[in-house]
Amino acid sequence: MNAAAPAQPQRSPLFWAGMFLFMILSGIAIPAQGRVNAELSSTVGDAYLAAFISFFVGLLVLAVIVFLTAPGRRAMRQVPPAFRRGEVRWWYLLAGAVGGYFVLAQTLTIGMIGVAVFTVVVVTGQTIGGLLWDRIGLGPGGRRQITLMRCVGALLTVCAVIWGVSPQLTVADRGLAWLLLVLLPFSGGFLQAGQQALNGRQSAAYGSALPGAFFNFASGSAVLLLTWVTVSLLQGGLGVPQLSTTWWHYLGGPLGIVFIVLGALLVTRVGVLLAAMGMIAGQLIGSLLLDLVVPAPGSLVTTATVLGTALTLVAVLIASLPDMRRAGR
């Protein structure tokens, strides 16, 4: 890994405006994907199968792009040279397994700890992970110092999310079993930040985000297929899966591609922490828009929801100020 971050090129306000837009778009794809996957899961009656279908559809879309288009084939031809140069290690290709793990953590815990607690814990894991992975240089930009502004921005992000979901938080009996359940989404968020760092390394090595995205969906699909088969066998057999006839129920995979591709591009340009924080802001904005336009049963939008969402944008700006000043010199 690089010992230190390379010197940053001159970056205009237009560059940062574009980065913030990509952060928001990437983050918005996450709650949209969650809403689509929830509908698919309800229709097929099997959360594990729905998660696998979502990943597999994404894999098929990426297979068409990388093998049947000239840019895709050109990008895939860069994979062997990147391995020979040592820029990509074999275990980078397993980053997509984190996506499978995250979906499983969501499936296993969200019904017991609630969406609000799940969101807060995941965001905390993403933020701490972003700080750590930047510090050790897991991302393509090398090591980034843990500065006061970055810590303030990270802490403010977590506080903003807690504020935003506070109307949904309830006090319940929280014993040891509850704490153990919370560890799953926390580790999922923590590892997800590392996944974006490895995707960014692959994107930088190949000169394109497409190969890394393809490998992500391949490994994630394998993990979820194995999980679905194992759980089904333990429950008495596979049986004939029931599929949905609604076309938009299969958009979860393509939405995941948006998140993976834009996330990989962001990490190469702004680092793991800022990319994670920007996508967190996008998640809250996307969730807010969905609840306003097509509210789900039990959804709740209050002043705290709106202000907490706005505060995440302020947190991203605060954390990015040192980089913006340094790049503008």
Side-chain angles (χ1 to χ4, degrees):
M1 296 177 185
N2 299 330
Q8 292 189 19
Q10 293 293 318
R11 290 170 171 175
S12 66
L14 184 60
F15 166 85
W16 287 104
M19 290 301 99
F20 288 135
L21 177 61
F22 283 158
M23 290 176 188
I24 301 306
L25 290 176
S26 178
I28 287 176
I30 301 175
Q33 181 190 46
R35 185 72 67 86
V36 170
N37 285 347
E39 292 293 334
L40 177 62
S41 176
S42 176
T43 301
V44 302
D46 188 331
Y48 297 99
L49 175 59
F52 166 69
I53 291 173
S54 176
F55 261 72
F56 189 65
V57 170
L59 178 62
L60 292 179
V61 172
L62 280 168
V64 170
I65 295 173
V66 300
F67 294 118
L68 298 183
T69 69
R73 291 193 297 270
R74 187 163 53 248
M76 290 299 284
R77 285 197 292 269
Q78 300 306 312
V79 174
F83 272 89
R84 288 195 294 268
R85 292 191 301 266
E87 296 177 0
V88 177
R89 309 293 178 83
W90 67 268
W91 51 274
Y92 291 9
L93 306 185
L94 302 179
V98 173
Y101 175 78
F102 184 84
V103 170
L104 291 179
Q106 185 182 52
T107 302
L108 294 172
T109 64
I110 209 166
M112 299 182 182
I113 66 176
V115 175
V117 173
F118 179 88
T119 302
V120 171
V121 174
V122 166
V123 165
T124 303
Q126 288 174 324
T127 306
I128 294 175
L131 280 169
L132 176 63
W133 302 132
D134 264 351
R135 181 66 186 88
I136 67 176
L138 186 64
R143 294 178 182 174
R144 294 172 184 258
Q145 296 299 318
I146 301 179
T147 63
L148 176 61
M149 295 297 282
R150 289 164 69 82
C151 288
V152 169
L155 180 60
L156 194 58
T157 297
V158 176
C159 292
V161 172
I162 293 175
W163 190 14
V165 301
S166 59
Q168 305 171 49
L169 293 172
T170 57
V171 178
D173 182 19
R174 297 177 177 179
L176 178 60
W178 186 89
L179 291 175
L180 291 176
L181 281 175
V182 163
L183 288 177
L184 284 175
F186 174 83
S187 60
F190 183 84
L191 292 173
Q192 192 177 64
Q195 176 192 21
Q196 292 300 324
L198 293 180
N199 289 342
R201 277 190 169 269
Q202 292 188 71
S203 179
Y206 307 141
S208 169
L210 290 176
F214 175 77
F215 296 135
N216 265 250
F217 275 85
S219 57
S221 295
V223 168
L224 290 171
L225 176 60
L226 179 62
T227 303
W228 172 59
V229 170
T230 301
V231 171
S232 297
L233 290 176
L234 290 175
Q235 292 178 345
L238 289 174
V240 179
Q242 175 186 349
L243 300 179
S244 173
T245 57
T246 304
W247 66 271
W248 60 267
H249 285 179
Y250 298 96
L251 292 180
L255 287 169
I257 294 174
V258 173
F259 168 71
I260 293 295
V261 170
L262 289 183
L265 294 174
L266 285 167
V267 167
T268 63
R269 289 159 174 79
V270 301
V272 184
L273 176 64
L274 283 183
M277 289 173 57
M279 288 186 285
I280 288 167
Q283 290 178 51
L284 291 187
I285 291 173
S287 298
L288 178 61
L289 291 176
L290 283 172
D291 285 342
L292 289 174
V293 178
V294 282
S299 62
L300 183 63
V301 177
T302 66
T303 301
T305 307
V306 177
L307 294 180
T309 300
L311 189 58
T312 60
L313 296 175
V314 176
V316 176
L317 287 172
I318 290 175
S320 62
L321 280 177
D323 289 336
M324 294 171 70
R325 289 171 180 168
R326 187 164 53 249
R329 289 174 185 171

